[in-house]
Amino acid sequence: MFSGEFIVYFNEYVGDFDLILTMNSGQTSQPPWKMDDNNYYEIILIDNIDVLVKISQEKLNDPLIVKYFSKEEFNVEKLRTKLFYIFDLDYNINEVYDFLEENSQLSDVYEFNRGLRLFKSQFPFECIISSICSANNSIKRWTKSLYDIRRFCGRSVVFGKDTYYVFPREEVFINMSLDELKNCGVGYRNKYMLNSTEKIRDSIDFHENIFKLSYKKAYNEIIKLEGVGPKVADCILLYGYNKHEAYPVDVWINRITTYLYFKNQKVSNGKISSFAHETFGMYAGYIQLYLFNYARLSGLMSKLKEI
DNA sequence: ACCCAGGGTTGGC
DNA sequence: GCCAACCCTGGG
């Protein structure tokens, strides 16, 4: 067993970070990591080696304690880099805070979101399936389906008495039948998932290409997948490919954006989307995340529900 | 037992 | 552009 621990102090990333807030903010990249005793744990792949990671943080900006366990030796620095990617810790989030401060409509948003960061997927493919699954679904059922998919066809990794499941790769996922997927509770989305997986598997360097493309070009590609409309496409680009300009517009974001900027009007998702790109630019992704969370925590959401 | 909504997308007009 | 249908689980 190769194991150890390292600590990330708040001065090693720029701006704030709150692990618990981030884990529980309902981002559709992946279901929340398993948790006990304030430890969140997940299998992270480093150079194809399974690494069990247990990560904890008492509260905002407290040291991040990262414990790792593996059957073979791996490059610990790469694990650190990957965790920084997943929680977007390389990003200077103060830029977002400054933007919020400069815009009076957004002045209340900061206090509910301090330390909230993107929660990105280690595998873009998992984010794609996960986002397709989120469409017209409930959070509860969405979570269960993704755990079921992992248990059904994900690779099992055993550490001591615990078994963990890694989200399947395209080549494995594609072997699931429509009925098997339906048994995971994904419903009619089963055919979208298989069809999209086939497209991804059959194109060369699909993920690398999307990463390289500009937001707009990437959007035009990703929306070609089945089961991927405007909202899901933006989720995939934001949480799966780190495109900060994406502004996923669901019913809530429509209501909230309308409430803040288009009072008493009926605004289409397309119009909300182009408004967000013009107004928020590179901060659109964070503002979407923050507005959703703000609405949830501030009571605005239940207020908007009644309209 | 019945009804309904749920972080949308698709296909048809 | 608008609108119904789409599976199915959890909650009224």
Side-chain angles (χ1 to χ4, degrees):
Chain A
M1 178 75 83
F2 180 75
S3 67
E5 175 182 313
F6 63 87
I7 298 178
V8 180
Y9 294 96
F10 79 99
N11 60 351
E12 296 176 60
Y13 47 87
V14 189
D16 300 324
F17 179 53
D18 189 323
L19 176 67
I20 297 171
L21 181 60
T22 299
M23 277 289 178
N24 299 310
S25 55
Q27 302 183 47
T28 56
S29 55
Q30 62 205 294
W33 290 5
K34 296 285 188 186
M35 200 261 280
D36 61 30
D37 285 340
N38 263 357
N39 265 305
Y40 291 95
Y41 46 92
E42 176 65 302
I43 303 289
I44 304 283
L45 260 66
I46 305 294
D47 293 330
N48 249 354
I49 297 169
D50 299 317
V51 180
L52 171 61
V53 174
K54 299 199 176 193
I55 180 167
S56 65
Q57 182 191 45
E58 280 287 317
K59 59 179 194 309
L60 173 75
N61 291 340
D62 275 356
L64 279 168
I65 318 270
V66 181
K67 297 180 181 139
Y68 53 84
F69 309 84
S70 171
K71 274 145 200 156
E72 24 179 334
E73 200 171 332
F74 69 95
N75 184 330
V76 178
E77 191 53 36
K78 284 189 180 176
L79 171 61
R80 188 192 143 94
T81 303
K82 194 155 261 185
L83 288 173
F84 267 61
Y85 173 80
I86 290 171
F87 297 108
D88 208 35
L89 292 174
D90 293 312
Y91 180 62
N92 179 2
I93 207 162
N94 289 326
E95 291 182 13
V96 178
Y97 298 163
D98 290 342
F99 187 86
L100 296 177
E101 211 167 64
E102 289 159 13
N103 290 266
S104 56
Q105 288 96 331
L106 304 172
S107 54
D108 295 336
V109 173
Y110 169 73
E111 60 174 313
F112 290 94
N113 293 292
R114 192 168 169 205
L116 176 56
R117 298 225 177 206
L118 292 180
F119 181 35
K120 287 175 281 188
S121 182
Q122 64 170 320
F123 311 121
F125 178 62
E126 174 174 27
C127 185
I128 291 172
I129 297 301
S130 178
S131 302
I132 290 175
C133 194
S134 74
N136 190 27
N137 209 337
S138 64
I139 304 273
K140 189 149 193 170
R141 187 177 155 201
W142 170 81
T143 312
K144 184 180 177 297
S145 292
L146 289 163
Y147 286 144
D148 282 354
I149 288 171
R150 283 197 195 199
R151 269 195 296 274
F152 191 86
C153 76
R155 199 160 40 79
S156 63
V157 180
V158 180
F159 280 99
K161 58 179 169 47
D162 296 313
T163 304
Y164 305 85
Y165 296 90
V166 181
F167 197 86
R169 290 177 298 115
E170 289 86 328
E171 299 79 15
V172 178
F173 186 90
I174 198 109
N175 292 324
M176 285 181 85
S177 69
L178 288 168
D179 279 341
E180 286 167 342
L181 266 171
K182 202 174 272 188
N183 288 337
C184 294
V186 307
Y188 63 97
R189 306 168 192 81
N190 59 356
K191 52 185 178 297
Y192 300 155
M193 291 178 179
L194 287 181
N195 191 305
S196 289
T197 303
E198 208 174 323
K199 278 189 187 167
I200 294 165
R201 187 202 53 184
D202 291 346
S203 52
I204 299 159
D205 295 333
F206 184 90
H207 303 301
E208 289 80 354
N209 286 332
I210 301 287
F211 268 116
K212 273 187 250 164
L213 293 174
S214 67
Y215 163 73
K216 206 166 177 59
K217 285 184 176 168
Y219 180 92
N220 290 335
E221 286 305 311
I222 215 80
I223 204 162
K224 288 178 188 162
L225 297 175
E226 272 208 58
V228 178
K231 190 269 178 182
V232 169
D234 275 325
C235 281
I236 293 171
L237 293 175
L238 184 58
Y239 304 124
Y241 296 97
N242 197 27
K243 309 278 187 211
H244 283 210
E245 306 97 310
Y247 192 80
V249 183
D250 57 48
V251 282
W252 290 109
I253 287 298
N254 184 310
R255 285 172 192 168
I256 298 159
T257 313
T258 302
Y259 173 79
L260 291 176
Y261 293 95
F262 301 92
K263 267 234 159 70
N264 303 322
Q265 296 177 50
K266 190 168 162 48
V267 189
S268 71
N269 285 354
K271 198 174 164 193
I272 296 273
S273 180
S274 45
F275 167 80
H277 290 132
E278 287 164 23
T279 314
F280 305 141
M282 285 298 294
Y283 309 123
Y286 265 100
I287 290 179
Q288 178 269 159
L289 177 61
Y290 280 17
L291 284 178
F292 190 80
N293 191 55
Y294 161 72
R296 264 203 325 185
L297 301 184
S298 69
L300 176 61
M301 199 171 261
S302 35
K303 187 177 155 191
L304 292 176
K305 201 167 198 166
E306 291 159 16
I307 298 173

